[in-house]
Amino acid sequence: MDKIIEKKRFNKKTILMMVGGLVFLGLVAYGYNLSLKKVYKVDADKVTISKVKYGDFEDVVLLNASVVPLTSVIVSSSEGGTVAEIFTENGASVTKGTPLLRIDNPRALSNYTSSETSITEQINQLRKVRLDLEQNQRVMSQDMMVIENSLRSATRKYRADSTLYSKKVITKEEFSASSQDYEYYLGRRAILKQAIKQENQSRQMQLSQIDVSVRRMNESLETIRKNIENMTIKAPVAGRLSSYDPVIGKSYNPNEMLGKIDVMQGYKLQAGVDEYYVNRVKEGQKASCEFNGATYQLTVRKVIPEVTAGQFQVELVFEGKSPEDLRRGLSLQTKLTLSDNSKSLLLSQGQFFQSTGGAWVFVLKDGQAKKRNVKIGRKNFLYYEVMEGLQKDEEVITSSYDQFNQYDIIQVNK
């Protein structure tokens, strides 16, 4: 006979005890796991908590731009030296050619004087050569006149003797003498003509070379005289003198800036931009600023990409006429637009970025903030653009993480 096996049934009490045991084990495991993680406790008023938003992301940068003249001309000295006299003060309005100061450089002045003396002596020597050539030409012309005169006399006598000899009036010896004189002066004239021709050709070449040399030497003299004159520094253009602070006895190197002259023909803005944007700022981008209650539009005219102290420089020009009453050195807050607005998740800017580089954040939920990897895109003066890792209305600690960036969980106490 088969034995009948009866299934064991659990009553309600047993089931409740088993469920309670499982819950207890789960709590123990959770508590154990929690104990392995590093927890930092902080009061809510000690941190900044920001909520993730969804809205328009303005791809703009706020710049603290300085007003500078549209055109400035640097004033410098081609020769270094010390300041001997000062004729004009900083901030003065000057016209082109206004004396500003005088530089003293004895060594350069001595070199210029020596060069000027040497060149003057060479010019005088060349002028003497010219005079000698002209004198030689006159001598040869006089010789030609003497020969021409003698030839005319010999020709008359030769022709007369030819008639007399044909009529047997004079002897053959007498006719031969006059014939010989005629042929002699005729030959001398031919030789002298050839010599004069060659002399003229040589003289013209030498005179041309002398003229070129004298002209170049005179140009050198003019340059030397200008360099001596340029030791008195004069305004190259009309405008307002700035960045100008000479002191008697102060030394300047050759071509070192002594000051600037601001040409009063309008203004532009100059600003430093965070190196974060060095690949995004380009010529032609638009910007705007406010001055005396009005908004003015600008365009980026020049980008200087060299980074110094974490910034690079840009120049912006006004579209149309610049505002009235602008003055050099004024600061204007300028909004530079990098691209059109777009819809995005937005997270307020904060010092957390310096600790994490935007790779992760502490996300707060039910009083506990836990690390979460995120992807941050662009930033403007208010927000970061959230690409991945966060949802709308989630709360994030956006203040500095310097005190607890090594912890896994932040317990935020209200």
Side-chain angles (χ1 to χ4, degrees):
M1 172 183 263
D2 295 333
K3 182 183 284 187
I4 299 174
I5 301 176
E6 185 179 351
K7 291 184 179 180
K8 186 175 182 181
R9 296 180 180 273
F10 297 101
N11 58 29
K12 185 176 181 180
K13 183 178 179 180
T14 303
I15 294 173
L16 289 175
M17 291 179 62
M18 292 176 64
V19 170
L22 290 173
V23 170
F24 175 76
L25 290 174
L27 290 173
V28 171
Y30 174 78
Y32 177 74
N33 184 52
L34 189 64
S35 67
L36 294 178
K37 293 188 175 182
K38 300 169 67 177
V39 179
Y40 184 88
K41 294 182 180 180
V42 64
D43 293 335
D45 59 355
K46 302 296 184 182
V47 294
T48 302
I49 299 170
S50 302
K51 185 176 290 188
V52 178
K53 301 177 182 179
Y54 182 79
D56 285 330
F57 178 81
E58 287 187 282
D59 195 10
V60 297
V61 184
L62 280 187
L63 306 177
N64 190 25
S66 298
V67 176
V68 296
L70 194 60
T71 303
S72 293
V73 178
I74 292 176
V75 179
S76 63
S77 171
S78 56
E79 289 288 346
T82 57
V83 178
E85 292 181 86
I86 301 172
F87 308 120
T88 311
E89 296 182 351
N90 189 43
S93 294
V94 296
T95 58
K96 184 177 181 180
T98 300
L100 305 179
L101 57 83
R102 182 173 66 82
I103 292 288
D104 186 25
N105 189 330
R107 181 176 179 181
L109 185 60
S110 175
N111 290 337
Y112 287 147
T113 304
S114 297
S115 298
E116 184 179 24
T117 301
S118 176
I119 291 173
T120 301
E121 290 176 353
Q122 293 179 53
I123 290 175
N124 290 335
Q125 290 176 358
L126 290 174
R127 286 174 176 168
K128 184 177 182 303
V129 172
R130 173 187 279 278
L131 291 174
D132 290 343
L133 290 172
E134 292 174 349
Q135 178 65 26
N136 189 45
Q137 181 187 23
R138 286 193 293 271
V139 170
M140 295 187 76
S141 296
Q142 290 172 357
D143 289 345
M144 177 59 74
M145 291 175 63
V146 171
I147 290 174
E148 288 281 1
N149 186 58
S150 298
L151 179 60
R152 282 193 294 271
S153 298
T155 300
R156 285 194 300 270
K157 186 170 183 2
Y158 170 72
R159 289 175 179 171
D161 286 354
S162 295
T163 302
L164 294 173
Y165 179 69
S166 64
K167 294 180 179 182
K168 307 295 186 181
V169 176
I170 61 174
T171 64
K172 183 177 181 181
E173 287 77 8
E174 292 175 320
F175 175 68
S176 295
S178 61
S179 175
Q180 188 175 8
D181 287 344
Y182 170 71
E183 291 176 354
Y184 169 74
Y185 287 114
L186 196 64
R188 279 198 63 185
R189 187 181 71 173
I191 292 172
L192 187 56
K193 274 188 175 181
Q194 183 64 28
I196 290 175
K197 181 180 179 181
Q198 293 175 351
E199 177 66 17
N200 284 340
Q201 292 175 345
S202 176
R203 185 178 65 257
Q204 290 300 324
M205 185 179 296
Q206 291 182 69
L207 289 175
S208 178
Q209 292 173 346
I210 288 172
D211 288 342
V212 171
S213 298
V214 170
R215 184 171 65 252
R216 289 177 177 172
M217 289 179 184
N218 280 326
E219 289 173 354
S220 297
L221 277 178
E222 185 64 23
T223 300
I224 290 173
R225 287 163 186 162
K226 282 184 178 179
N227 287 338
I228 294 174
E229 184 181 350
N230 286 343
M231 288 186 174
T232 298
I233 311 302
K234 299 177 181 179
V237 294
R240 189 181 302 278
L241 194 58
S242 65
S243 303
Y244 178 74
D245 59 346
V247 178
I248 298 295
K250 183 178 181 179
S251 296
Y252 288 95
N253 296 319
N255 300 315
E256 183 179 352
M257 188 183 82
L258 305 175
K260 293 181 181 179
I261 295 180
D262 301 331
V263 181
M264 309 309 290
Q265 296 178 346
Y267 293 93
K268 62 187 176 183
L269 300 185
Q270 192 171 52
V273 186
D274 192 285
E275 61 183 328
Y276 173 85
Y277 299 101
V278 71
N279 293 322
R280 301 199 60 211
V281 178
K282 297 177 176 59
E283 294 177 3
Q285 288 177 330
K286 302 299 180 182
S288 63
C289 71
E290 291 188 0
F291 183 71
N292 285 345
T295 301
Y296 295 89
Q297 302 301 315
L298 302 107
T299 302
V300 177
R301 185 175 74 171
K302 183 185 292 185
V303 178
I304 305 169
E306 289 80 9
V307 175
T308 303
Q311 290 189 325
F312 64 97
Q313 298 294 311
V314 295
E315 290 183 1
L316 306 102
V317 293
F318 289 94
E319 295 182 354
K321 189 177 180 181
S322 59
E324 299 290 340
D325 300 326
L326 278 184
R327 292 292 182 269
R328 181 188 180 99
L330 284 177
S331 294
L332 298 179
Q333 191 172 68
T334 304
K335 185 185 291 187
L336 173 61
T337 302
L338 302 178
S339 65
D340 295 335
N341 293 355
S342 59
K343 294 288 185 180
S344 300
L345 287 173
L346 307 176
L347 178 62
S348 296
Q349 284 204 33
Q351 295 182 355
F352 76 94
F353 196 90
Q354 280 67 41
S355 300
T356 71
W360 58 271
V361 295
F362 278 110
V363 181
L364 182 65
K365 184 178 181 181
D366 298 331
Q368 287 190 344
K370 298 180 181 179
K371 286 184 178 180
R372 186 189 299 176
N373 291 334
V374 296
K375 183 178 179 182
I376 300 295
R378 299 168 295 177
K379 71 174 182 177
N380 61 22
F381 59 99
L382 292 176
Y383 297 105
Y384 294 107
E385 181 184 33
V386 180
M387 309 300 293
E388 295 178 4
L390 294 174
Q391 299 295 325
K392 179 183 176 183
D393 294 332
E394 285 191 305
E395 293 183 324
V396 177
I397 297 177
T398 53
S399 51
S400 174
Y401 290 179
D402 288 347
Q403 293 183 350
F404 48 76
N405 62 355
Q406 301 300 319
Y407 288 83
D408 300 304
I409 298 174
I410 309 301
Q411 184 72 45
V412 180
N413 300 319
K414 294 185 179 180

